[in-house]
Amino acid sequence: MVRIQFRLMMPAALLAAALTASPATAQVPLVPPAAVQAQGDSAMQISWEVRNRFRLFREERDFLLHADGDRGRSVLATEQALALQSDGRGWARNTVNRLCIDLLGRVSEPCSRDGSKESYLTPSEHPVTVRLTGQVPVGATCAWTLDDGDGPRQSTFDCAEPVNFRARYGRPTVATVDVSSADAPARVTTEIAVRDIFIAGLGDSIASGEGNPDRPIALADEGFCFRSYLGMAYTQYYRPSRAGYKGGRACEAPDSLQVWQRQSALWLNSACHRSLYSYQTRTALALAVQYPHIAVTYLPLACTGATIAEGLFGSQQARECPPTKSGARCSGKVSAQLNELREAVTAAKRRQPDRRLDLVLLSVGANDINFSGLVADVIVDSPTERALFRRSGVIGSVEDSRYAMANDLPRGFAKLREALKPLVGDMSRVVYVSYANPTLAENGGPCPGGPAGFDIHPSFNAAPQRLSNVSNYVQNEFLPQLKALALCQGGILCRDPAADRMTFVDAHQATFAGHGFCARASTDPEFDQACFSANGDSFDSDIVTAASQPMRCGRSAGEYRAYLPRARWIRDANDSYFAAMTYPGGLPASSQPTDIHDATWGVLSAVYGGAVHPSAEGHAAMADAALPAAASVLELDVEGAQVGR
């Protein structure tokens, strides 16, 4: 067999154009200029910015990647440019190992950032760069004085040189520069006050970034065998194996999960499928990029699979256990998000009594109405699997979901609102970002259905009528109900409607029309067009030939690029397998399959990596919608906004 290698090649000029193209929806930062006092009619002024101000990043190069790529553009345009720059491998693949929160979700206290040890939750100072800008005389000398109340610090440089110092948290620094040149001397002064904003992310899989591993799975040319539920030889099928896996690939050659998991995708947090691509992370990062006088301390806590009861208030099942060298089995449990947030806020206030939680980004409710059960009802098509899944409760119905939405969800929201009030005070500081309908075609109606995008498993097929029913229910009932719950409208009872309203965001919903899981375009990646069949026959059904080459197109599955721009902003089941191929080791022991070729693994590996969830582009579009709301709540565009709170 001839191995065909394909790599997206881009001329330098085209890449430069991609990085500077104007976005469809540009976000223009409105940062109040520094106050300037100068003798005479000088146009000189002191400009300053906080360095590496997204404090989750330990190294400034990771922040500058986004700051340099932003250039006043939308988060979506920035994501698309960075995707091309990385050849679709994703900008987060290396950044994920350089964070102030480790892969188990533990905050590093202290965290070493750019060579300086800092308390992550309670910073005592921030790195700042100061420059003299404007009509600065050539060759002029600048005598700088920086005074934060503990006595002035003085230094003299060429006026073209920036000055770096560390500004005290919660305390303004008066910067004065005396300019000496052949012209008349001048003095310029301003006050530097860094505002550190504490943001937490809460919620479910949409909040966590499910579907977008920070480092995607690497796939092999060869096939890997799965069984179907009938359990007979002719029900075996092959799909691409993991690159680097040396164990048994045939169904008759079982191997341990530990060996298989060595080649897993990498997540910011495996147990929660937490990702740097999530709209919550991108919103917090965009605030730091666009507002140079702030620093952002961000605490991601959202977890895929979370409900209000199990996830926010109580512990929940882990999505996936991270690989361990010892082979020890993880507990399979994830702590309640609200408990973790309370502990973090309490610890911060213990060290800094005036420290407060400034903003909560929240998306929750889909699991409370069993949305995953509705997805299963749409895509699981074969009678055997439908019967098994219905018996085990995996397949849900619109009727049961509607009952939960009318009864359980309002009670859950009321309880959640009361739990958040002591943490944020004003409920408008909870920015609830609603879901996008994942099923919308270009005409605004539901996707037509069929096996395309779901043929990763032989029993999958998006049945048109079931798909239409679920799409209409989501669009006309579920999404409006979420808005009413967040805003205390439509008969939703809140104790104090005026004070209990969250800040609600749904501007992205219209943007997602035409970008549902069925969207296809001539600009899609070449591999997708060649190898993901519109007829749902992407994979070789002959188990003899598929063992060595499972793709009908004859190309290597390793050519797939999870982060190249696509028309669809929703991961289909094929995307889920090709990007993450998740084996949920966090399942209870009673639900664990017998071996890695088990039929349960076959189904779950096709959907547990984020099927029917937004792609990185989808999350970027959500961040573009959330960003103005967050900036408004934080009063970042208001001159004189409170500093250091």
Side-chain angles (χ1 to χ4, degrees), residues 81-142:
L82 292 176
L84 293 173
Q85 187 179 15
S86 71
D87 188 24
R89 290 173 169 83
W91 57 264
R93 67 191 188 281
N94 296 319
T95 303
V96 70
N97 285 319
R98 300 192 291 258
L99 304 174
C100 284
I101 297 177
D102 70 17
L103 301 182
L104 296 177
R106 299 173 300 199
V107 174
S108 300
E109 287 287 11
C111 181
S112 182
R113 302 182 68 247
D114 298 312
S116 297
K117 289 186 176 181
E118 302 177 6
S119 168
Y120 184 68
L121 295 177
T122 53
S124 60
E125 54 187 21
H126 295 90
V128 172
T129 295
V130 185
R131 293 179 176 86
L132 185 64
T133 59
Q135 297 178 11
V136 181
V138 177
T141 300
C142 284

Side-chain angles (χ1 to χ4, degrees), residues 36-45 135 184-188:
V36 176
Q37 298 173 352
Q39 294 179 353
D41 191 26
S42 172
M44 293 182 294
Q45 64 180 8
Q135 297 178 11
R187 169 172 286 188
V188 186

